[in-house]
Amino acid sequence: MDGLAARLARLIQETGPLTLAQYMTLCLHDPAEGYYATRPALGAGGDFITAPEVSQMFGEMIGVWAVSVWEAMGRPAPVRLVELGPGSGALINDLLRAVKGQPAFLAAIDLWLVELSAPLRRAQATQLDGGTVSFAERLDQVPAGAPLILIGNEFLDCFGVRQFVRRDGAWLEHRVGLDADGGLCLGLAPPPSGFCAPDDAPEGGVLEISEAQEAIGEGIGLRMAEAGGAALLIDYGRDRFAYGDTFQALSGHRKVDPLEAPGQADLTVHVDFPSVAAAARRGGARTAPITAQGTFLRRMGIEARARALADTAIRSGRPDLADRIARQLHRITDPAEMGTLFQVLAIHTLAADPPGFTDTEEAR
Ligand code: SAH
């Protein structure tokens, strides 16, 4: 079979230039050569590093959150605990370890991992070390009929956007086409009929629209409205509307040309949280105010947890470990690091916003 670049070129010849959303999906999920389909491991040795790979405290705080929303839901059993895009499985592993002292919660959980990549599904099963877990490729394959607690870290950013740019007072769409030598190139095409966007956008302004991210938000909203529950979506993204080109490719922790080696670099966009939240509300659920990751983690008690871990490290003669914990805390909470670049959205059916999303807890 031809390589992915050649197959993309043929597809473009047959059907015309691809939207960025189509290009992203094909590069990330082609079953033979897609980025995730061929990735046996993520993490420090990979192309990007995520918060659960930086520190165990990230998954632990989400464990604390999961137990408290379960209590606010009236301790339902069963409750489906679903992780979207679990990567290496580090987050769910840390979460489950953090809730070991909650046998009633553990007994109530029906655990589901939503993952498209076969090698990553294998890594996740190994990480969970024989625990009972079910796999699905999409959220709608997770059986209905029970409330949900749903977690997704760096999941939504895998879903592509269509990108429109304002030129000479008109909107054009960025598409991936072919240059004179048959190589992939970025070009401009008229927007689809019915496309409607603000007329007062600045010249050169880039508008990103993700139907796929919105569909996930709406799907979660519908599931929540049906059966009740709470979802936590964490991602590199914006908490309010903004123009800007956020499409990027990472390879070996460096930014690379997204068209250069299809399937070999991680392609992402910033998540448009206000649109995902609006879609979830259309689906029938509530949403809490979009909150910075650092603020959310502090409200969940990450500083006390870091102190406890550091004290244990020092008592066991490992001051180096205590320093490492301090660096990890800084990395995932500080505004100059991941603290404000990453935002957290809660979608839920609880009577009040879940913990981590209200100011009153910050003083604790
Ligand atoms: N949550 C992990 C991994 C983030 S990477 C962490 O924080 O470390 C994105 C993950 O989402 C990978 O596991 C990838 O295979 C999965 N993924 C991406 N798009 C997906 C899709 N459309 N359906 C299911 N899983 C997907």
Side-chain angles (χ1 to χ4, degrees), residues 51 55 57-62 232 234 291-305 328-329 331-334 338-339 342 344 355-357:
S55 171
M57 294 183 287
F58 187 78
E60 290 172 351
M61 291 304 111
I62 294 177
L232 197 63
I234 307 160
T291 298
Q293 171 171 301
T295 307
F296 170 77
L297 291 172
R298 273 194 295 278
R299 287 172 176 169
M300 294 312 301
I302 197 167
E303 282 161 337
R305 177 66 182 145
Q328 292 174 347
L329 176 69
R331 178 100 187 258
I332 62 178
T333 61
D334 195 85
M338 299 171 94
F342 283 75
V344 193
F357 293 89

PDB file of all heavy atoms in Angstrom, residues 51 55 57-62 232 234 291-305 328-329 331-334 338-339 342 344 355-357:
ATOM      1  N   ALA A  51      -0.189  16.431  31.658  1.00  0.00           N
ATOM      2  CA  ALA A  51      -0.156  16.590  33.115  1.00  0.00           C
ATOM      3  C   ALA A  51      -0.088  15.253  33.880  1.00  0.00           C
ATOM      4  O   ALA A  51       0.707  15.134  34.814  1.00  0.00           O
ATOM      5  CB  ALA A  51      -1.349  17.424  33.568  1.00  0.00           C
ATOM      6  N   SER A  55       2.898  14.336  36.710  1.00  0.00           N
ATOM      7  CA  SER A  55       2.755  14.096  38.153  1.00  0.00           C
ATOM      8  C   SER A  55       1.569  13.207  38.477  1.00  0.00           C
ATOM      9  O   SER A  55       0.473  13.396  37.955  1.00  0.00           O
ATOM     10  CB  SER A  55       2.565  15.432  38.870  1.00  0.00           C
ATOM     11  OG  SER A  55       2.215  15.200  40.210  1.00  0.00           O
ATOM     12  N   MET A  57      -0.013  13.489  41.089  1.00  0.00           N
ATOM     13  CA  MET A  57      -0.989  14.295  41.834  1.00  0.00           C
ATOM     14  C   MET A  57      -2.166  14.712  40.960  1.00  0.00           C
ATOM     15  O   MET A  57      -3.264  14.956  41.457  1.00  0.00           O
ATOM     16  CB  MET A  57      -0.303  15.544  42.410  1.00  0.00           C
ATOM     17  CG  MET A  57       0.726  15.230  43.460  1.00  0.00           C
ATOM     18  SD  MET A  57       1.472  16.717  44.187  1.00  0.00           S
ATOM     19  CE  MET A  57       2.542  17.301  42.875  1.00  0.00           C
ATOM     20  N   PHE A  58      -1.947  14.807  39.646  1.00  0.00           N
ATOM     21  CA  PHE A  58      -3.013  15.235  38.736  1.00  0.00           C
ATOM     22  C   PHE A  58      -4.175  14.234  38.789  1.00  0.00           C
ATOM     23  O   PHE A  58      -5.320  14.597  39.067  1.00  0.00           O
ATOM     24  CB  PHE A  58      -2.438  15.368  37.327  1.00  0.00           C
ATOM     25  CG  PHE A  58      -3.379  15.959  36.338  1.00  0.00           C
ATOM     26  CD1 PHE A  58      -3.604  17.317  36.292  1.00  0.00           C
ATOM     27  CD2 PHE A  58      -4.050  15.144  35.430  1.00  0.00           C
ATOM     28  CE1 PHE A  58      -4.482  17.868  35.370  1.00  0.00           C
ATOM     29  CE2 PHE A  58      -4.920  15.685  34.502  1.00  0.00           C
ATOM     30  CZ  PHE A  58      -5.139  17.043  34.474  1.00  0.00           C
ATOM     31  N   GLY A  59      -3.866  12.955  38.558  1.00  0.00           N
ATOM     32  CA  GLY A  59      -4.917  11.927  38.597  1.00  0.00           C
ATOM     33  C   GLY A  59      -5.504  11.769  39.997  1.00  0.00           C
ATOM     34  O   GLY A  59      -6.694  11.485  40.151  1.00  0.00           O
ATOM     35  N   GLU A  60      -4.672  11.971  40.996  1.00  0.00           N
ATOM     36  CA  GLU A  60      -5.174  11.846  42.381  1.00  0.00           C
ATOM     37  C   GLU A  60      -6.234  12.908  42.676  1.00  0.00           C
ATOM     38  O   GLU A  60      -7.269  12.605  43.271  1.00  0.00           O
ATOM     39  CB  GLU A  60      -4.013  11.997  43.370  1.00  0.00           C
ATOM     40  CG  GLU A  60      -3.056  10.806  43.346  1.00  0.00           C
ATOM     41  CD  GLU A  60      -1.798  11.034  44.188  1.00  0.00           C
ATOM     42  OE1 GLU A  60      -1.564  12.165  44.659  1.00  0.00           O
ATOM     43  OE2 GLU A  60      -1.035  10.074  44.358  1.00  0.00           O
ATOM     44  N   MET A  61      -5.973  14.152  42.228  1.00  0.00           N
ATOM     45  CA  MET A  61      -6.956  15.220  42.470  1.00  0.00           C
ATOM     46  C   MET A  61      -8.256  14.930  41.716  1.00  0.00           C
ATOM     47  O   MET A  61      -9.347  15.234  42.188  1.00  0.00           O
ATOM     48  CB  MET A  61      -6.390  16.582  42.042  1.00  0.00           C
ATOM     49  CG  MET A  61      -5.272  17.089  42.903  1.00  0.00           C
ATOM     50  SD  MET A  61      -5.751  17.204  44.646  1.00  0.00           S
ATOM     51  CE  MET A  61      -4.760  15.901  45.350  1.00  0.00           C
ATOM     52  N   ILE A  62      -8.131  14.328  40.544  1.00  0.00           N
ATOM     53  CA  ILE A  62      -9.345  14.000  39.783  1.00  0.00           C
ATOM     54  C   ILE A  62     -10.088  12.855  40.484  1.00  0.00           C
ATOM     55  O   ILE A  62     -11.312  12.801  40.472  1.00  0.00           O
ATOM     56  CB  ILE A  62      -8.989  13.716  38.314  1.00  0.00           C
ATOM     57  CG1 ILE A  62      -8.466  15.029  37.709  1.00  0.00           C
ATOM     58  CG2 ILE A  62     -10.185  13.197  37.534  1.00  0.00           C
ATOM     59  CD1 ILE A  62      -7.991  14.935  36.295  1.00  0.00           C
ATOM     60  N   LEU A 232     -15.591  16.037  33.343  1.00  0.00           N
ATOM     61  CA  LEU A 232     -14.488  16.976  33.519  1.00  0.00           C
ATOM     62  C   LEU A 232     -13.644  16.904  32.247  1.00  0.00           C
ATOM     63  O   LEU A 232     -13.079  15.850  31.943  1.00  0.00           O
ATOM     64  CB  LEU A 232     -13.680  16.486  34.718  1.00  0.00           C
ATOM     65  CG  LEU A 232     -12.700  17.421  35.403  1.00  0.00           C
ATOM     66  CD1 LEU A 232     -13.455  18.613  35.999  1.00  0.00           C
ATOM     67  CD2 LEU A 232     -11.972  16.678  36.517  1.00  0.00           C
ATOM     68  N   ILE A 234     -10.435  18.616  30.293  1.00  0.00           N
ATOM     69  CA  ILE A 234      -9.278  19.475  30.562  1.00  0.00           C
ATOM     70  C   ILE A 234      -8.443  19.539  29.290  1.00  0.00           C
ATOM     71  O   ILE A 234      -8.159  18.507  28.682  1.00  0.00           O
ATOM     72  CB  ILE A 234      -8.432  18.866  31.696  1.00  0.00           C
ATOM     73  CG1 ILE A 234      -9.326  18.598  32.907  1.00  0.00           C
ATOM     74  CG2 ILE A 234      -7.263  19.785  32.068  1.00  0.00           C
ATOM     75  CD1 ILE A 234      -8.753  17.601  33.865  1.00  0.00           C
ATOM     76  N   THR A 291     -12.664  27.104  34.063  1.00  0.00           N
ATOM     77  CA  THR A 291     -11.723  27.445  35.146  1.00  0.00           C
ATOM     78  C   THR A 291     -10.309  27.018  34.759  1.00  0.00           C
ATOM     79  O   THR A 291     -10.117  25.950  34.174  1.00  0.00           O
ATOM     80  CB  THR A 291     -12.184  26.700  36.427  1.00  0.00           C
ATOM     81  OG1 THR A 291     -13.489  27.186  36.772  1.00  0.00           O
ATOM     82  CG2 THR A 291     -11.247  26.935  37.598  1.00  0.00           C
ATOM     83  N   ALA A 292      -9.318  27.840  35.124  1.00  0.00           N
ATOM     84  CA  ALA A 292      -7.929  27.500  34.805  1.00  0.00           C
ATOM     85  C   ALA A 292      -7.510  26.244  35.576  1.00  0.00           C
ATOM     86  O   ALA A 292      -7.914  26.049  36.730  1.00  0.00           O
ATOM     87  CB  ALA A 292      -7.018  28.667  35.173  1.00  0.00           C
ATOM     88  N   GLN A 293      -6.681  25.426  34.935  1.00  0.00           N
ATOM     89  CA  GLN A 293      -6.239  24.159  35.551  1.00  0.00           C
ATOM     90  C   GLN A 293      -5.584  24.385  36.930  1.00  0.00           C
ATOM     91  O   GLN A 293      -5.849  23.645  37.878  1.00  0.00           O
ATOM     92  CB  GLN A 293      -5.245  23.459  34.622  1.00  0.00           C
ATOM     93  CG  GLN A 293      -4.567  22.256  35.237  1.00  0.00           C
ATOM     94  CD  GLN A 293      -3.756  21.475  34.224  1.00  0.00           C
ATOM     95  OE1 GLN A 293      -4.305  21.000  33.237  1.00  0.00           O
ATOM     96  NE2 GLN A 293      -2.463  21.317  34.447  1.00  0.00           N
ATOM     97  N   GLY A 294      -4.721  25.419  37.028  1.00  0.00           N
ATOM     98  CA  GLY A 294      -4.036  25.683  38.300  1.00  0.00           C
ATOM     99  C   GLY A 294      -5.038  25.985  39.406  1.00  0.00           C
ATOM    100  O   GLY A 294      -4.934  25.464  40.520  1.00  0.00           O
ATOM    101  N   THR A 295      -6.025  26.807  39.100  1.00  0.00           N
ATOM    102  CA  THR A 295      -7.052  27.167  40.084  1.00  0.00           C
ATOM    103  C   THR A 295      -7.843  25.924  40.480  1.00  0.00           C
ATOM    104  O   THR A 295      -8.076  25.668  41.670  1.00  0.00           O
ATOM    105  CB  THR A 295      -8.003  28.223  39.465  1.00  0.00           C
ATOM    106  OG1 THR A 295      -7.215  29.289  38.965  1.00  0.00           O
ATOM    107  CG2 THR A 295      -9.009  28.722  40.461  1.00  0.00           C
ATOM    108  N   PHE A 296      -8.245  25.150  39.490  1.00  0.00           N
ATOM    109  CA  PHE A 296      -9.014  23.925  39.775  1.00  0.00           C
ATOM    110  C   PHE A 296      -8.221  22.997  40.700  1.00  0.00           C
ATOM    111  O   PHE A 296      -8.732  22.513  41.707  1.00  0.00           O
ATOM    112  CB  PHE A 296      -9.364  23.213  38.459  1.00  0.00           C
ATOM    113  CG  PHE A 296      -9.939  21.839  38.661  1.00  0.00           C
ATOM    114  CD1 PHE A 296     -11.254  21.673  39.062  1.00  0.00           C
ATOM    115  CD2 PHE A 296      -9.154  20.698  38.477  1.00  0.00           C
ATOM    116  CE1 PHE A 296     -11.777  20.408  39.280  1.00  0.00           C
ATOM    117  CE2 PHE A 296      -9.668  19.429  38.685  1.00  0.00           C
ATOM    118  CZ  PHE A 296     -10.991  19.290  39.094  1.00  0.00           C
ATOM    119  N   LEU A 297      -6.955  22.771  40.366  1.00  0.00           N
ATOM    120  CA  LEU A 297      -6.158  21.814  41.161  1.00  0.00           C
ATOM    121  C   LEU A 297      -5.934  22.343  42.577  1.00  0.00           C
ATOM    122  O   LEU A 297      -5.977  21.571  43.540  1.00  0.00           O
ATOM    123  CB  LEU A 297      -4.826  21.525  40.465  1.00  0.00           C
ATOM    124  CG  LEU A 297      -4.917  20.727  39.164  1.00  0.00           C
ATOM    125  CD1 LEU A 297      -3.550  20.670  38.475  1.00  0.00           C
ATOM    126  CD2 LEU A 297      -5.435  19.304  39.413  1.00  0.00           C
ATOM    127  N   ARG A 298      -5.725  23.651  42.708  1.00  0.00           N
ATOM    128  CA  ARG A 298      -5.544  24.209  44.061  1.00  0.00           C
ATOM    129  C   ARG A 298      -6.818  24.048  44.865  1.00  0.00           C
ATOM    130  O   ARG A 298      -6.788  23.659  46.030  1.00  0.00           O
ATOM    131  CB  ARG A 298      -5.124  25.674  43.993  1.00  0.00           C
ATOM    132  CG  ARG A 298      -3.595  25.833  43.876  1.00  0.00           C
ATOM    133  CD  ARG A 298      -3.159  27.247  44.151  1.00  0.00           C
ATOM    134  NE  ARG A 298      -3.670  28.143  43.133  1.00  0.00           N
ATOM    135  CZ  ARG A 298      -3.077  28.319  41.940  1.00  0.00           C
ATOM    136  NH1 ARG A 298      -1.949  27.701  41.646  1.00  0.00           N
ATOM    137  NH2 ARG A 298      -3.604  29.137  41.063  1.00  0.00           N
ATOM    138  N   ARG A 299      -7.955  24.317  44.241  1.00  0.00           N
ATOM    139  CA  ARG A 299      -9.226  24.156  44.962  1.00  0.00           C
ATOM    140  C   ARG A 299      -9.456  22.698  45.373  1.00  0.00           C
ATOM    141  O   ARG A 299     -10.138  22.421  46.351  1.00  0.00           O
ATOM    142  CB  ARG A 299     -10.382  24.638  44.091  1.00  0.00           C
ATOM    143  CG  ARG A 299     -10.432  26.144  43.956  1.00  0.00           C
ATOM    144  CD  ARG A 299     -11.479  26.534  42.930  1.00  0.00           C
ATOM    145  NE  ARG A 299     -11.615  27.979  42.831  1.00  0.00           N
ATOM    146  CZ  ARG A 299     -12.297  28.577  41.866  1.00  0.00           C
ATOM    147  NH1 ARG A 299     -12.899  27.878  40.917  1.00  0.00           N
ATOM    148  NH2 ARG A 299     -12.386  29.881  41.847  1.00  0.00           N
ATOM    149  N   MET A 300      -8.919  21.762  44.614  1.00  0.00           N
ATOM    150  CA  MET A 300      -9.080  20.340  44.955  1.00  0.00           C
ATOM    151  C   MET A 300      -8.074  19.897  46.014  1.00  0.00           C
ATOM    152  O   MET A 300      -8.097  18.738  46.430  1.00  0.00           O
ATOM    153  CB  MET A 300      -8.928  19.448  43.711  1.00  0.00           C
ATOM    154  CG  MET A 300     -10.001  19.604  42.650  1.00  0.00           C
ATOM    155  SD  MET A 300     -11.697  19.589  43.260  1.00  0.00           S
ATOM    156  CE  MET A 300     -11.778  17.981  44.043  1.00  0.00           C
ATOM    157  N   GLY A 301      -7.170  20.782  46.412  1.00  0.00           N
ATOM    158  CA  GLY A 301      -6.262  20.450  47.516  1.00  0.00           C
ATOM    159  C   GLY A 301      -4.894  19.936  47.101  1.00  0.00           C
ATOM    160  O   GLY A 301      -4.225  19.229  47.855  1.00  0.00           O
ATOM    161  N   ILE A 302      -4.441  20.313  45.906  1.00  0.00           N
ATOM    162  CA  ILE A 302      -3.168  19.754  45.433  1.00  0.00           C
ATOM    163  C   ILE A 302      -1.986  20.236  46.270  1.00  0.00           C
ATOM    164  O   ILE A 302      -0.999  19.503  46.424  1.00  0.00           O
ATOM    165  CB  ILE A 302      -2.956  20.050  43.930  1.00  0.00           C
ATOM    166  CG1 ILE A 302      -1.856  19.120  43.380  1.00  0.00           C
ATOM    167  CG2 ILE A 302      -2.602  21.511  43.679  1.00  0.00           C
ATOM    168  CD1 ILE A 302      -1.742  19.072  41.886  1.00  0.00           C
ATOM    169  N   GLU A 303      -2.086  21.437  46.855  1.00  0.00           N
ATOM    170  CA  GLU A 303      -0.927  21.924  47.619  1.00  0.00           C
ATOM    171  C   GLU A 303      -0.725  21.079  48.879  1.00  0.00           C
ATOM    172  O   GLU A 303       0.411  20.724  49.226  1.00  0.00           O
ATOM    173  CB  GLU A 303      -1.083  23.411  47.935  1.00  0.00           C
ATOM    174  CG  GLU A 303      -0.733  24.231  46.690  1.00  0.00           C
ATOM    175  CD  GLU A 303      -1.257  25.646  46.684  1.00  0.00           C
ATOM    176  OE1 GLU A 303      -2.250  25.920  47.406  1.00  0.00           O
ATOM    177  OE2 GLU A 303      -0.687  26.460  45.956  1.00  0.00           O
ATOM    178  N   ALA A 304      -1.826  20.740  49.553  1.00  0.00           N
ATOM    179  CA  ALA A 304      -1.704  19.898  50.755  1.00  0.00           C
ATOM    180  C   ALA A 304      -1.172  18.514  50.372  1.00  0.00           C
ATOM    181  O   ALA A 304      -0.340  17.928  51.080  1.00  0.00           O
ATOM    182  CB  ALA A 304      -3.071  19.774  51.437  1.00  0.00           C
ATOM    183  N   ARG A 305      -1.642  18.004  49.260  1.00  0.00           N
ATOM    184  CA  ARG A 305      -1.165  16.687  48.803  1.00  0.00           C
ATOM    185  C   ARG A 305       0.340  16.736  48.502  1.00  0.00           C
ATOM    186  O   ARG A 305       1.088  15.819  48.843  1.00  0.00           O
ATOM    187  CB  ARG A 305      -1.959  16.259  47.562  1.00  0.00           C
ATOM    188  CG  ARG A 305      -1.521  14.961  46.942  1.00  0.00           C
ATOM    189  CD  ARG A 305      -1.776  13.777  47.868  1.00  0.00           C
ATOM    190  NE  ARG A 305      -1.305  12.537  47.282  1.00  0.00           N
ATOM    191  CZ  ARG A 305      -0.782  11.547  47.979  1.00  0.00           C
ATOM    192  NH1 ARG A 305      -0.680  11.614  49.296  1.00  0.00           N
ATOM    193  NH2 ARG A 305      -0.382  10.447  47.368  1.00  0.00           N
ATOM    194  N   GLN A 328       7.109  19.436  40.049  1.00  0.00           N
ATOM    195  CA  GLN A 328       5.904  18.928  39.367  1.00  0.00           C
ATOM    196  C   GLN A 328       4.689  19.819  39.665  1.00  0.00           C
ATOM    197  O   GLN A 328       3.912  20.154  38.775  1.00  0.00           O
ATOM    198  CB  GLN A 328       5.596  17.503  39.832  1.00  0.00           C
ATOM    199  CG  GLN A 328       6.631  16.479  39.385  1.00  0.00           C
ATOM    200  CD  GLN A 328       6.372  15.109  39.997  1.00  0.00           C
ATOM    201  OE1 GLN A 328       5.569  14.965  40.933  1.00  0.00           O
ATOM    202  NE2 GLN A 328       7.043  14.101  39.472  1.00  0.00           N
ATOM    203  N   LEU A 329       4.564  20.190  40.946  1.00  0.00           N
ATOM    204  CA  LEU A 329       3.442  21.050  41.346  1.00  0.00           C
ATOM    205  C   LEU A 329       3.488  22.357  40.552  1.00  0.00           C
ATOM    206  O   LEU A 329       2.469  22.814  40.017  1.00  0.00           O
ATOM    207  CB  LEU A 329       3.522  21.331  42.855  1.00  0.00           C
ATOM    208  CG  LEU A 329       2.459  22.294  43.387  1.00  0.00           C
ATOM    209  CD1 LEU A 329       1.086  21.641  43.333  1.00  0.00           C
ATOM    210  CD2 LEU A 329       2.769  22.733  44.824  1.00  0.00           C
ATOM    211  N   ARG A 331       4.951  22.910  37.698  1.00  0.00           N
ATOM    212  CA  ARG A 331       4.706  22.675  36.270  1.00  0.00           C
ATOM    213  C   ARG A 331       3.215  22.573  35.958  1.00  0.00           C
ATOM    214  O   ARG A 331       2.743  23.132  34.974  1.00  0.00           O
ATOM    215  CB  ARG A 331       5.414  21.369  35.877  1.00  0.00           C
ATOM    216  CG  ARG A 331       5.225  20.943  34.454  1.00  0.00           C
ATOM    217  CD  ARG A 331       6.435  21.305  33.615  1.00  0.00           C
ATOM    218  NE  ARG A 331       6.212  21.052  32.212  1.00  0.00           N
ATOM    219  CZ  ARG A 331       6.696  20.002  31.559  1.00  0.00           C
ATOM    220  NH1 ARG A 331       7.447  19.124  32.185  1.00  0.00           N
ATOM    221  NH2 ARG A 331       6.446  19.845  30.277  1.00  0.00           N
ATOM    222  N   ILE A 332       2.456  21.910  36.804  1.00  0.00           N
ATOM    223  CA  ILE A 332       1.040  21.720  36.411  1.00  0.00           C
ATOM    224  C   ILE A 332       0.105  22.805  36.939  1.00  0.00           C
ATOM    225  O   ILE A 332      -1.027  22.898  36.482  1.00  0.00           O
ATOM    226  CB  ILE A 332       0.495  20.300  36.743  1.00  0.00           C
ATOM    227  CG1 ILE A 332       0.517  19.995  38.220  1.00  0.00           C
ATOM    228  CG2 ILE A 332       1.237  19.232  35.961  1.00  0.00           C
ATOM    229  CD1 ILE A 332      -0.067  18.612  38.546  1.00  0.00           C
ATOM    230  N   THR A 333       0.582  23.652  37.885  1.00  0.00           N
ATOM    231  CA  THR A 333      -0.336  24.687  38.409  1.00  0.00           C
ATOM    232  C   THR A 333       0.082  26.113  38.113  1.00  0.00           C
ATOM    233  O   THR A 333      -0.756  27.011  38.150  1.00  0.00           O
ATOM    234  CB  THR A 333      -0.486  24.577  39.949  1.00  0.00           C
ATOM    235  OG1 THR A 333       0.801  24.762  40.552  1.00  0.00           O
ATOM    236  CG2 THR A 333      -1.073  23.249  40.371  1.00  0.00           C
ATOM    237  N   ASP A 334       1.352  26.381  37.864  1.00  0.00           N
ATOM    238  CA  ASP A 334       1.799  27.773  37.758  1.00  0.00           C
ATOM    239  C   ASP A 334       1.299  28.422  36.453  1.00  0.00           C
ATOM    240  O   ASP A 334       1.330  27.790  35.395  1.00  0.00           O
ATOM    241  CB  ASP A 334       3.335  27.826  37.798  1.00  0.00           C
ATOM    242  CG  ASP A 334       3.815  29.243  38.056  1.00  0.00           C
ATOM    243  OD1 ASP A 334       3.886  29.623  39.239  1.00  0.00           O
ATOM    244  OD2 ASP A 334       4.089  29.977  37.080  1.00  0.00           O
ATOM    245  N   MET A 338       1.662  25.155  32.994  1.00  0.00           N
ATOM    246  CA  MET A 338       0.392  24.650  32.468  1.00  0.00           C
ATOM    247  C   MET A 338      -0.826  25.254  33.173  1.00  0.00           C
ATOM    248  O   MET A 338      -1.957  24.962  32.812  1.00  0.00           O
ATOM    249  CB  MET A 338       0.334  23.123  32.612  1.00  0.00           C
ATOM    250  CG  MET A 338       1.430  22.401  31.851  1.00  0.00           C
ATOM    251  SD  MET A 338       1.487  20.636  32.261  1.00  0.00           S
ATOM    252  CE  MET A 338       0.460  19.971  30.957  1.00  0.00           C
ATOM    253  N   GLY A 339      -0.587  26.073  34.202  1.00  0.00           N
ATOM    254  CA  GLY A 339      -1.671  26.512  35.088  1.00  0.00           C
ATOM    255  C   GLY A 339      -2.799  27.266  34.436  1.00  0.00           C
ATOM    256  O   GLY A 339      -3.961  27.071  34.812  1.00  0.00           O
ATOM    257  N   PHE A 342      -3.985  25.649  30.282  1.00  0.00           N
ATOM    258  CA  PHE A 342      -4.974  24.589  30.307  1.00  0.00           C
ATOM    259  C   PHE A 342      -6.195  25.056  31.080  1.00  0.00           C
ATOM    260  O   PHE A 342      -6.079  25.688  32.122  1.00  0.00           O
ATOM    261  CB  PHE A 342      -4.385  23.323  30.949  1.00  0.00           C
ATOM    262  CG  PHE A 342      -3.488  22.592  30.003  1.00  0.00           C
ATOM    263  CD1 PHE A 342      -2.213  23.070  29.716  1.00  0.00           C
ATOM    264  CD2 PHE A 342      -3.926  21.437  29.355  1.00  0.00           C
ATOM    265  CE1 PHE A 342      -1.384  22.418  28.807  1.00  0.00           C
ATOM    266  CE2 PHE A 342      -3.113  20.773  28.448  1.00  0.00           C
ATOM    267  CZ  PHE A 342      -1.840  21.268  28.175  1.00  0.00           C
ATOM    268  N   VAL A 344     -10.375  24.014  32.368  1.00  0.00           N
ATOM    269  CA  VAL A 344     -11.197  22.877  32.779  1.00  0.00           C
ATOM    270  C   VAL A 344     -12.675  23.234  32.622  1.00  0.00           C
ATOM    271  O   VAL A 344     -13.105  24.292  33.070  1.00  0.00           O
ATOM    272  CB  VAL A 344     -10.930  22.503  34.261  1.00  0.00           C
ATOM    273  CG1 VAL A 344     -11.542  21.148  34.576  1.00  0.00           C
ATOM    274  CG2 VAL A 344      -9.443  22.506  34.569  1.00  0.00           C
ATOM    275  N   PRO A 355     -17.176  20.503  42.961  1.00  0.00           N
ATOM    276  CA  PRO A 355     -16.023  21.100  43.610  1.00  0.00           C
ATOM    277  C   PRO A 355     -14.962  21.475  42.571  1.00  0.00           C
ATOM    278  O   PRO A 355     -14.859  20.839  41.533  1.00  0.00           O
ATOM    279  CB  PRO A 355     -15.500  19.997  44.540  1.00  0.00           C
ATOM    280  CG  PRO A 355     -16.152  18.757  44.101  1.00  0.00           C
ATOM    281  CD  PRO A 355     -17.422  19.127  43.409  1.00  0.00           C
ATOM    282  N   GLY A 356     -14.206  22.544  42.905  1.00  0.00           N
ATOM    283  CA  GLY A 356     -13.163  22.997  41.992  1.00  0.00           C
ATOM    284  C   GLY A 356     -13.622  24.151  41.117  1.00  0.00           C
ATOM    285  O   GLY A 356     -12.813  24.765  40.427  1.00  0.00           O
ATOM    286  N   PHE A 357     -14.939  24.438  41.125  1.00  0.00           N
ATOM    287  CA  PHE A 357     -15.459  25.440  40.195  1.00  0.00           C
ATOM    288  C   PHE A 357     -16.090  26.644  40.883  1.00  0.00           C
ATOM    289  O   PHE A 357     -16.699  27.476  40.234  1.00  0.00           O
ATOM    290  CB  PHE A 357     -16.453  24.798  39.222  1.00  0.00           C
ATOM    291  CG  PHE A 357     -15.751  23.836  38.304  1.00  0.00           C
ATOM    292  CD1 PHE A 357     -15.594  22.505  38.667  1.00  0.00           C
ATOM    293  CD2 PHE A 357     -15.190  24.283  37.125  1.00  0.00           C
ATOM    294  CE1 PHE A 357     -14.906  21.625  37.854  1.00  0.00           C
ATOM    295  CE2 PHE A 357     -14.501  23.402  36.304  1.00  0.00           C
ATOM    296  CZ  PHE A 357     -14.360  22.081  36.667  1.00  0.00           C
TER     297      PHE A 357
END
